[in-house]
Structure formats: C-alpha cells, structure tokens
C-alpha cells in the first residue's frame, strides 16, 4: 500500500485503508472517501491534491492525503 500522494494525476486507484484517529477517518468518510471505493487523482501539487470522488472533487492538504492508502 502507498499513500495517494504518490499517485500520478489521471490515475484511478482503490482506497484500501484510511489511517488516523477516529475523527479524522470519520471526516474523510463524510467527504465520500470510503474504503473499497475508487478515486481519481486530478491534481497533485507537492502532496496537496485535488481528487475526483464519485461526482465531486475534493481538495486535500498533504497531511490528510497521507492518511489515505491505496
């Protein structure tokens, strides 16, 4: 597994695990990031990312993005 910060723009990956405290995992789940779902990286700017989740896009800073393993 690797953090999504290592995924190239345009690549679609499957979320295998979300690390962190319960409130961090809950926050990411509320944004639509659920283990087993696929996401597409739209932009990766030194770890700060924009990702496509279902029909929406989400911006994540590097700290949150490192919690998402694919």
């Amino acid at each position: 597994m690797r953090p999504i910060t290592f995924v190239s723009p345009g690549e679609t990956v499957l979320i295998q695990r979300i690390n962190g405290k319960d409130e961090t995992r809950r926050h990411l789940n509320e944004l639509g990031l659920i283990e087993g779902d696929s996401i597409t990286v739209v932009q990766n700017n030194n770890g700060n990312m924009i990702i496509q989740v279902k029909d929406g896009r989400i911006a994540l800073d590097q700290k949150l993005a490192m919690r998402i393993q694919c």
Side-chain angles (χ1 to χ4, degrees):
M1 282 189 287
R2 62 186 172 156
I4 63 167
T5 54
F6 293 104
V7 176
S8 300
E11 193 174 343
T12 300
V13 294
L14 190 68
I15 298 173
Q16 294 190 5
R17 188 165 155 181
I18 297 177
N19 298 323
K21 296 180 180 178
D22 286 342
E23 70 181 52
T24 302
R25 290 195 321 263
R26 187 173 27 254
H27 174 67
L28 291 171
N29 283 327
E30 289 170 353
L31 291 174
L33 299 166
I34 300 170
E35 292 177 7
D37 283 354
S38 63
I39 58 172
T40 302
V41 174
V42 177
Q43 184 177 5
N44 186 346
N45 186 14
N46 296 325
N48 299 312
M49 309 188 78
I50 297 175
I51 57 173
Q52 177 85 33
V53 181
K54 298 177 180 128
D55 292 331
R57 290 185 177 189
I58 298 171
L60 298 173
D61 66 2
Q62 184 177 18
K63 185 177 177 181
L64 274 179
M66 290 292 290
R67 304 274 183 223
I68 303 166
Q69 303 288 313
C70 59

